[in-house]
Amino acid sequence: MRREIIAPRPGWQQKLEQLGFDFYVLDSKAYWTEQACYAFTADQIDELEASTEELHGLCLKAVEHVVANRLWERMRIPPAWGDYIERVWRRSDPTIAGRFDLAYDGRNPPKLLEYNADTPTALYEAAVVQWYWLKDAKPGADQFNSIHEKLIEAWRGILARLPPEALVHFARFEDHPEDLATSEYLRDTALQAGLAGKPISVAQIGWNGRRFTDPDEMPIQVLSKLYPWEWMVREEFGAHVLTDTTAFLEPAWKMILSNKMILPLLWEGFPNHRNLLPAFDSEHPDLGRAFVKKPIFGREGHNVTVVGPGVFDTAGGNYGTEGFVWQAYEPLPVFDGNYALVGSWVIDGKAAGIGMREDERRITHNNSRFVPHYFNPTGGP
């Protein structure tokens, strides 16, 4: 694994815009870069794929543990919602996508930092934008990336469970470029699978006293959302979800996995697993002198604090009301002064590809740069 300095493609901005990827600069900073790329060996890609499959399997066992033991208080989930989560889990409401954030240096086993299981973004960049980069910049190489094909396959599975006239609504904040791109990409893959999709902003979702509706008073049968479950749980309007008249993607059982309390639960259930880090719901001597303190419900690196000998980094924000978890500090590998993070995608329960993010800081946030990757299919670097 290495970071490789390369020349950007001629006219790369226009190439990105032709794909509808027009937010390659966010808050006056480069969000996409092709002045560098990450190179892997085939063996390293195999290890990332196997570890992702393994971690997802552990996570599903953890969901069953939470549901079977009704650990709603520990997960900071209201009991009424716990009943609903149990219902959708027992009937196997399907999932489309999730993303593991992994610390990986190419030599040691990948370590789970967190699971973005509910509203994962950077999907379009990973599935499509870096694939087109590969075809132009590294035509003889390969990429760990079957995201697009697996998304279409996942939507076909959804289609098979629905009546012929079914329609999926795709809700998002339309003034957030990345959310809009992610939602539109999901809608496009659903359409390619033969499933009708209708866009809607979060603010346009209504309630007619019996069920959720769109501005045309059409009942919302299935809602693909980029609105976090933990926000919905705490809103008066969100209580209508408990009528169970609309199916959601991601389903409510993902509320367990997108919750940082899953990290201590995984460590309790599978201590010393090669892909896990020690994690606890309070300060613990097993953490040693280096740890990361994370809000139970947190996003985009906000309110995360890294502490260790000669190390301190913290990010502001408005999260942490529900409490924190403590996880052993696993340093991200540093390449050319950049801390590199692997985002490993799970589509319909299967490992599907990776997207690399990097930052000058130890704490990755929503504006951290997306960097394409490749590997040599013959096995060399």
Side-chain angles (χ1 to χ4, degrees), residues 206-260:
W207 176 258
N208 66 6
R210 300 182 306 279
R211 64 183 308 162
F212 292 111
T213 59
D214 68 14
D216 299 319
E217 293 302 316
M218 176 182 291
I220 298 176
Q221 301 167 294
V222 182
L223 184 68
S224 171
K225 64 169 188 63
L226 287 177
Y227 192 77
W229 275 114
E230 67 266 21
W231 295 1
M232 210 180 307
V233 161
R234 284 154 180 81
E235 295 178 0
E236 183 178 352
F237 188 75
H240 299 315
V241 171
L242 302 180
T243 61
D244 202 15
T245 53
T246 294
F248 289 87
L249 295 165
E250 293 295 311
W253 58 264
K254 282 293 197 78
M255 200 187 310
I256 297 171
L257 296 181
S258 63
N259 181 325
K260 303 299 188 300

Side-chain angles (χ1 to χ4, degrees), residues 79-327:
W81 282 82
D83 294 340
Y84 171 67
I85 291 170
E86 181 174 12
R87 191 181 320 138
V88 299
W89 171 249
R90 293 294 177 216
R91 73 185 181 210
S92 301
D93 278 20
T95 171
I96 292 288
R99 189 191 77 241
F100 287 114
D101 282 350
L102 305 174
Y104 182 59
D105 61 6
R107 298 183 301 274
N108 299 295
K111 298 291 188 181
L112 173 64
L113 302 180
E114 61 186 57
Y115 194 4
N116 301 279
D118 179 21
T119 58
T121 50
L123 180 62
Y124 186 56
E125 301 92 294
V128 175
V129 182
Q130 69 169 346
W131 181 255
Y132 277 89
W133 167 88
L134 179 77
K135 297 294 120 184
D136 291 339
K138 298 284 183 181
D142 205 347
Q143 193 174 81
F144 181 21
N145 188 0
S146 60
I147 299 170
H148 186 78
E149 296 79 7
K150 283 188 169 65
L151 279 171
I152 294 172
E153 182 182 344
W155 284 118
R156 286 178 178 146
I158 300 291
L159 179 63
R161 298 174 62 131
L162 297 174
E165 71 281 1
L167 175 74
V168 177
H169 285 75
F170 289 81
R172 63 286 186 99
F173 294 106
E174 298 194 341
D175 57 344
H176 293 187
E178 192 171 11
D179 283 12
L180 179 60
T182 301
S183 181
E184 278 297 277
Y185 176 56
L186 285 169
R187 187 167 73 96
D188 179 64
T189 53
L191 290 171
Q192 291 186 53
L195 191 56
K198 184 176 182 180
I200 185 173
S201 72
V202 170
Q204 290 177 318
I205 298 173
W207 176 258
N208 66 6
R210 300 182 306 279
R211 64 183 308 162
F212 292 111
T213 59
D214 68 14
D216 299 319
E217 293 302 316
M218 176 182 291
I220 298 176
Q221 301 167 294
V222 182
L223 184 68
S224 171
K225 64 169 188 63
L226 287 177
Y227 192 77
W229 275 114
E230 67 266 21
W231 295 1
M232 210 180 307
V233 161
R234 284 154 180 81
E235 295 178 0
E236 183 178 352
F237 188 75
H240 299 315
V241 171
L242 302 180
T243 61
D244 202 15
T245 53
T246 294
F248 289 87
L249 295 165
E250 293 295 311
W253 58 264
K254 282 293 197 78
M255 200 187 310
I256 297 171
L257 296 181
S258 63
N259 181 325
K260 303 299 188 300
M261 190 59 73
I262 198 66
L263 300 172
L265 283 170
L266 285 169
W267 187 249
E268 290 170 17
F270 311 99
N272 301 311
H273 189 281
R274 66 194 299 271
N275 298 125
L276 297 177
L277 294 168
F280 307 92
D281 49 12
S282 62
E283 293 189 60
H284 194 282
D286 286 355
L287 290 169
R289 298 175 61 198
F291 61 86
V292 181
K293 181 182 176 184
K294 301 178 179 182
I296 292 173
F297 296 120
R299 293 181 173 271
E300 300 172 344
H302 292 173
N303 301 101
V304 171
T305 300
V306 179
V307 177
V311 174
F312 181 83
D313 200 356
T314 188
N318 299 310
Y319 298 100
T321 302
E322 294 82 10
F324 293 82
V325 300
W326 283 256
Q327 185 182 49

